[in-house]
Amino acid sequence: MTSDSVISVTKSPGALGAEYAETASVAYAAALKVIESVEPRIADATRKELADQRDSLKLIASENYASPAVLLTMGTWFSDKYAEGTIGHRFYAACQNVDTVEALAAEHARELFGAPYAYAQPHSGIDANLVAFWAILATRIEAPELAELGAKNVNDLSEADWEKLRAKLGNQRLMGMSLDAGGHLTHGFRPNISGKMFHQRSYGTDPETGLLDYAKVAAAAREFKPLVLVAGYSAYPRRVNFAKMREIADEVGATFMVDMAHFAGLVAGKVFTGDEDPVPHAHVTTTTTHKSLRGPRGGLVLASKEYSNAVDKGCPMVLGGPMAHVMAAKAVAFAEARQPSFQEYAQRIADNAKALADGFLKRGARLVTGGTDNHIVLLDVTSFGLTGRQAESALLDAGVVTNRNSIPADPNGAWYTSGIRFGTPALTTRGFGPDDFDRVAELVVDVLKNTQPDGSSKAKYLVADGTAARVHAAASELLAANPLYPGLTL
């Protein structure tokens, strides 16, 4: 049984390795039996979740399917360990095995992304961004201030000096992509802690094309002069030239940070290279470890040497005790992503997104930016007379799982929205190809054309009789041809 065969969650038991499929089935059945002995309702919900995922077209761009090896790694006694601190420098005893796990996760991450330093402790993408922000503040603001005052650390400061430093730390500027252009809440927006930490200003996209205008980003940065320039997105269906963004950051003296949570799998899989690979250009890069990377839910920070010492203090600076069981699963996922088959998978993600976009366009649908060259397709549903909320709900009735999303200058705001965001990583994991995604586009358009608002409500809708059942049946045919975790029986 090869490493590549273990990674797959989509092949037939023979291709996957009959022994591996059988072993996984035994492991999960045994685990559920143990759970059932304590709280049977949790075991039932777990079985139902697998059944629901097997029977739906998962098109949420931030979701995927982890391998059995990754999933099983999380259910171990590493969950029982406290290990504040970092490798070789813990505040608890008997952490030698946690050191091994964290070191392996960091080693695989460095090799996978070509980064000088990797920090595997963050529990989520938000945590990873908080570690990054405070590492930048510690390096750019706190360290020079301490040196000027002749202090070794903040505990050496007088109360007056400490208050001055706190004021400086809390009054810095951050610039990132606007929410309606595809940015993320954690890039300085007020509902998130990052918006309470920083004075924030957004850069948007061209109102005609929906594309980034680097000259306008540069002009805005010159005017605002941020300490941190953030690139990255959650709903921008195009690639970014990170070399140009680094030039802008350097010109205004900003630290360049990239949040690649959505497209990390395309970076790991060498679909994004050169100027489109953020890691060589960013001072600090953050990501989640699920989404297109296909690992456990968690976060990761990559950094240049200049920022590595501050990032390494993420616990206790921002984080609580690291979750060793999840770091172990990250190590397994990164090891999987270093296999040649992952590069093939990543390329299929991009190819399938283009097929999905083309499928929409040839059926008259309107796409933000007119297409895609990453893993995201953003559909403007106003041409169907719907809000994003109505479209999302109607699609769910037909077994198509998506999420509503803002579009540039969205007339319906961030709750009801005017868009639906599609992503191809999960169904690509199941084995879907371009022809399958063209069929998916056909099914989506079928639902939306047969849906209308119910009165003046932005949430209520009416789907024509028979549409949901017809589309769900067609979706089931696609899913049956590309089974999830084949050979795994519970």
Side-chain angles (χ1 to χ4, degrees):
M1 183 169 54
T2 66
S3 297
D4 283 357
S5 70
V6 173
I7 294 169
S8 174
V9 300
T10 64
K11 302 299 183 184
S12 66
L16 177 64
E19 180 184 350
Y20 177 71
E22 182 180 351
T23 301
S25 292
V26 171
Y28 280 108
L32 286 168
K33 188 173 182 179
V34 172
I35 295 166
E36 198 167 40
S37 69
V38 177
E39 176 48 280
R41 291 171 295 182
I42 294 297
D44 288 343
T46 303
R47 292 188 184 96
K48 188 174 186 304
E49 179 61 26
L50 176 58
D52 288 348
Q53 291 198 26
R54 280 174 160 169
D55 191 39
S56 61
L57 286 172
K58 185 193 282 196
L59 287 158
I60 293 177
S62 52
E63 293 190 6
N64 210 328
Y65 305 105
S67 72
V70 168
L71 295 174
L72 286 167
T73 302
M74 284 184 279
T76 74
W77 28 92
F78 275 121
S79 177
D80 299 336
K81 278 300 298 176
Y82 260 105
E84 278 97 331
T86 191
I87 302 167
H89 192 262
R90 307 286 182 183
F91 292 92
Y92 285 78
C95 290
Q96 63 274 13
N97 297 313
V98 178
D99 282 354
T100 298
V101 162
E102 185 172 351
L104 284 170
E107 175 189 329
H108 281 305
R110 290 193 306 269
E111 293 298 321
L112 179 62
F113 292 107
Y117 169 83
Y119 185 66
Q121 288 194 22
H123 309 156
S124 67
I126 287 180
D127 283 354
N129 284 348
L130 279 174
V131 170
F133 290 144
W134 279 106
I136 292 167
L137 290 169
T139 303
R140 294 287 304 275
I141 306 300
E142 183 178 296
E145 189 77 8
L146 292 175
E148 184 178 329
L149 294 170
K152 290 183 178 180
N153 58 57
V154 293
N155 294 324
D156 294 335
L157 297 179
S158 68
E159 195 62 29
D161 285 336
W162 171 233
E163 290 301 325
K164 289 179 183 177
L165 176 57
R166 285 182 60 198
K168 280 190 176 182
L169 289 170
N171 284 279
Q172 296 303 316
R173 295 180 176 186
L174 179 146
M175 189 172 180
M177 181 179 263
S178 65
L179 283 176
D180 67 345
H184 195 262
L185 275 172
T186 59
H187 300 171
F189 295 96
R190 291 178 183 178
N192 181 257
I193 185 64
S194 59
K196 297 170 175 61
M197 289 168 54
F198 290 99
H199 294 301
Q200 191 266 3
R201 182 176 294 183
S202 297
Y203 57 84
T205 52
D206 183 272
E208 297 297 324
T209 66
L211 300 174
L212 275 173
D213 184 327
Y214 296 96
K216 289 184 178 178
V217 176
R222 291 187 199 106
E223 178 187 349
F224 189 57
K225 294 182 173 55
L227 179 78
V228 187
L229 177 64
V230 180
Y233 50 80
S234 65
Y236 180 66
R238 297 292 180 176
R239 304 185 188 193
V240 174
N241 187 319
F242 295 107
K244 285 185 178 180
M245 293 296 287
R246 174 60 184 265
E247 289 175 5
I248 295 168
D250 287 346
E251 180 185 344
V252 300
T255 296
F256 183 40
M257 173 180 155
V258 175
D259 179 347
M260 64 173 184
H262 259 273
F263 53 92
L266 301 182
V267 177
K270 312 305 179 190
V271 176
F272 291 177
T273 59
D275 292 349
E276 296 169 345
D277 178 353
V279 178
H281 303 292
H283 295 97
V284 182
T285 306
T286 64
T287 185
T288 52
T289 51
H290 43 292
K291 298 187 176 80
S292 59
L293 197 51
R294 205 162 61 179
R297 297 188 65 84
L300 177 74
V301 181
L302 308 172
S304 63
K305 291 183 179 179
E306 178 185 4
Y307 292 92
S308 61
N309 286 339
V311 171
D312 211 43
K313 295 179 175 66
C315 174
M317 177 174 63
V318 171
L319 304 175
M323 296 188 289
H325 59 305
V326 179
M327 287 196 295
K330 291 175 189 178
V332 172
F334 298 156
E336 291 178 346
R338 294 181 65 187
Q339 299 295 326
S341 61
F342 190 88
Q343 294 188 21
E344 298 168 9
Y345 164 68
Q347 185 60 56
R348 289 197 301 272
I349 289 175
D351 293 343
N352 285 337
K354 186 177 187 308
L356 180 63
D358 290 346
F360 283 134
L361 292 171
K362 75 182 184 183
R363 293 174 175 90
R366 184 188 306 154
L367 301 181
V368 175
T369 77
T372 182
D373 48 29
N374 56 24
H375 64 296
I376 292 171
V377 177
L378 188 56
L379 178 64
D380 179 350
V381 298
T382 58
S383 62
F384 296 97
L386 302 170
T387 66
R389 175 81 178 275
Q390 292 162 337
E392 174 192 77
S393 299
L395 288 167
L396 185 60
D397 290 345
V400 182
V401 183
T402 65
N403 70 280
R404 63 191 185 275
N405 207 97
S406 296
I407 63 174
D410 198 313
N412 288 312
W415 178 250
Y416 293 105
T417 81
S418 299
I420 291 288
R421 184 185 65 170
F422 298 87
T424 56
L427 291 184
T428 301
T429 294
R430 288 189 70 149
F432 277 52
D435 290 343
D436 299 313
F437 275 98
D438 180 71
R439 178 65 168 144
V440 168
E442 182 181 15
L443 297 179
V444 168
V445 171
D446 186 3
V447 173
L448 299 183
K449 281 185 174 180
N450 285 285
T451 302
Q452 62 184 20
D454 183 4
S456 60
S457 171
K458 291 186 176 182
K460 295 180 181 179
Y461 61 97
L462 295 170
V463 182
D465 288 347
T467 300
R470 179 179 67 250
V471 170
H472 206 152
S476 294
E477 290 182 10
L478 289 172
L479 294 165
N482 299 279
L484 177 64
Y485 305 113
L488 181 64
T489 56
L490 300 180

